[in-house]
């Protein structure tokens, strides 16, 4: 039976982690711009604006682990003698 949901394969998990990384990076840049140009005076802003940057770190780590696992699980092609696969390794 085929798996359903966002984690159908390791490739979809890597793609999802990559998208999460991009969105967290965009949120981090937006919060840094808001902090630099708008100078919010609310008390909670000082602890909230760096949060997307911590999420960037966490999602980059998750993406790197998932991508390494995906590359390790992929079998090398069998049709060529000296392929791009071997040159890249």
């Amino acid at each position: 039976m085929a798996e359903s949901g966002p984690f159908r394969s390791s490739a979809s998990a890597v793609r999802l982690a990559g998208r999460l990384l991009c969105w967290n990076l965009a949120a981090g840049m937006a919060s840094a711009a808001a902090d630099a140009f708008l100078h919010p005076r609310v008390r909670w802003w000082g602890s909230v604006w760096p949060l997307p940057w911590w999420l960037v770190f966490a999602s980059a780590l998750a993406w790197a682990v998932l991508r390494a696992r995906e590359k390790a699980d992929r079998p090398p092609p069998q049709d060529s003698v000296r392929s791009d696969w071997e040159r890249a390794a």
Side-chain angles (χ1 to χ4, degrees):
M1 178 183 246
E3 295 179 38
S4 62
F7 298 108
R8 288 181 293 275
S9 68
S10 63
S12 65
V14 171
R15 191 173 21 245
L16 185 64
R19 287 180 183 162
L20 182 64
L21 173 61
C22 290
W23 279 105
N24 286 333
L25 189 57
M29 286 188 234
S31 68
D35 188 55
F37 294 116
L38 300 177
H39 304 292
R41 299 281 186 238
V42 290
R43 303 179 91 192
W44 51 266
W45 181 252
S47 59
V48 170
W49 83 265
L51 181 64
W53 293 108
W54 288 104
L55 293 174
V56 165
F57 173 73
S59 58
L61 184 63
W63 177 83
V65 168
L66 288 170
R67 181 70 174 141
R69 195 178 113 214
E70 177 192 38
K71 284 183 151 273
D73 290 345
R74 186 182 312 163
Q78 301 295 329
D79 57 350
S80 65
V81 176
R82 181 88 172 148
S83 65
D84 292 337
W85 183 271
E86 293 172 347
R87 283 195 304 253

